[in-house]
Amino acid sequence: MTVEAEAEFVERALGRIFRGGLILGAAGSVVALVLQDWRWGLGFAAGAAGSCLNFYWLHRFVEGLTPGGRRPRKRWLVILATRYLILGVAGYAIVKIFGLSLGAILLGLFVPVAAILVEIIYELTYART
């Protein structure tokens, strides 16, 4: 497999992971809303959004480290260094101020992991090597 083909393969896989995260986040929010209440639905959505945002930030940073990639700006370095503080403060505010379910937020944090597992299953099922 050539370098260009590998790069295209990775880009397609990352696109599916990002789309899968959005779909799983939305579906999980609806399921939490139906099975529990609005606090669970919004809590799951908040956790999924925070974890997908963290995944995106990490992807952008790593992309900047590759040859030919744009060097990350200092703003991205600050965001990357403080992302857990930012997400932690946002999570605390969401639970304390808005009263959303902490359990739902924690479950929502696993959405990118689930999207990656779905991508692995997709690759194992449909990969043509």
Side-chain angles (χ1 to χ4, degrees):
M1 189 177 251
T2 66
V3 174
E4 293 83 18
E6 285 184 25
E8 183 180 330
F9 172 78
V10 169
E11 283 303 315
R12 283 196 318 259
L14 280 171
R16 286 190 298 268
I17 290 170
F18 284 127
R19 282 189 304 277
L22 292 174
I23 292 167
L24 290 172
S29 297
V30 170
V31 169
L33 180 68
V34 170
L35 294 180
Q36 293 290 329
D37 61 1
W38 67 271
R39 287 181 179 90
W40 272 79
L42 287 178
F44 189 90
S51 63
C52 287
L53 182 63
N54 186 43
F55 185 73
Y56 174 75
W57 285 344
L58 195 57
H59 167 69
R60 287 285 307 256
F61 177 74
V62 171
E63 190 178 58
L65 297 178
T66 60
R70 293 185 311 162
R71 283 185 49 108
R73 290 184 258 167
K74 290 183 182 180
R75 177 182 68 174
W76 281 109
L77 295 175
V78 170
I79 288 173
L80 189 64
T82 60
R83 71 184 187 268
Y84 293 118
L85 178 64
I86 293 168
L87 294 173
V89 169
Y92 180 81
I94 288 170
V95 169
K96 291 299 181 183
I97 295 172
F98 299 112
L100 301 183
S101 170
L102 178 62
I105 292 171
L106 293 176
L107 284 174
L109 291 176
F110 288 103
V111 164
V113 175
I116 291 168
L117 290 174
V118 168
E119 175 61 21
I120 290 170
I121 292 168
Y122 174 81
E123 289 297 330
L124 288 173
T125 306
Y126 296 108
R128 307 277 190 250
T129 57

